[in-house]
Amino acid sequence: RVLGAEHMDTLSTTTNIAIALLKQAKFEESEVLFRDIIGVQQRILGAEHPATLFTNCKLCGVLYSQKKYGE
């Protein structure tokens, strides 16, 4: 069975991959994934959904690790 890019299971798995990349200090790769995930989550779930907020929080950690304080 194939799930689409916007399926919740796919988003969850992609989030886990982004977190793993973050833990490996692969910040640029992690940032790209988190930004992609947030775009889909905002469109499907809304900006205030707990999953969207969680992903935003993780993106903040990635940006902090890269010293991108202005973003």
Side-chain angles (χ1 to χ4, degrees):
R1 181 174 163 199
V2 178
L3 305 176
E6 297 183 352
H7 191 278
M8 290 307 298
D9 289 345
T10 305
L11 290 172
S12 178
T13 300
T14 307
T15 299
N16 290 335
I17 292 168
I19 290 169
L21 290 168
L22 172 58
K23 290 181 179 181
Q24 295 173 26
K26 295 181 179 180
F27 302 123
E28 292 177 6
E29 294 174 62
S30 181
E31 179 183 348
V32 169
L33 283 180
F34 280 129
R35 289 187 187 278
D36 290 346
I37 295 163
I38 290 168
V40 174
Q41 287 176 328
Q42 286 178 341
R43 192 171 59 255
I44 294 174
L45 303 173
E48 301 299 319
H49 190 278
T52 307
L53 296 173
F54 172 82
T55 308
N56 271 302
C57 182
K58 290 298 185 181
L59 175 60
C60 287
V62 171
L63 295 173
Y64 182 83
S65 296
Q66 297 178 85
K67 297 180 174 40
K68 293 183 177 179
Y69 305 122
E71 293 186 52

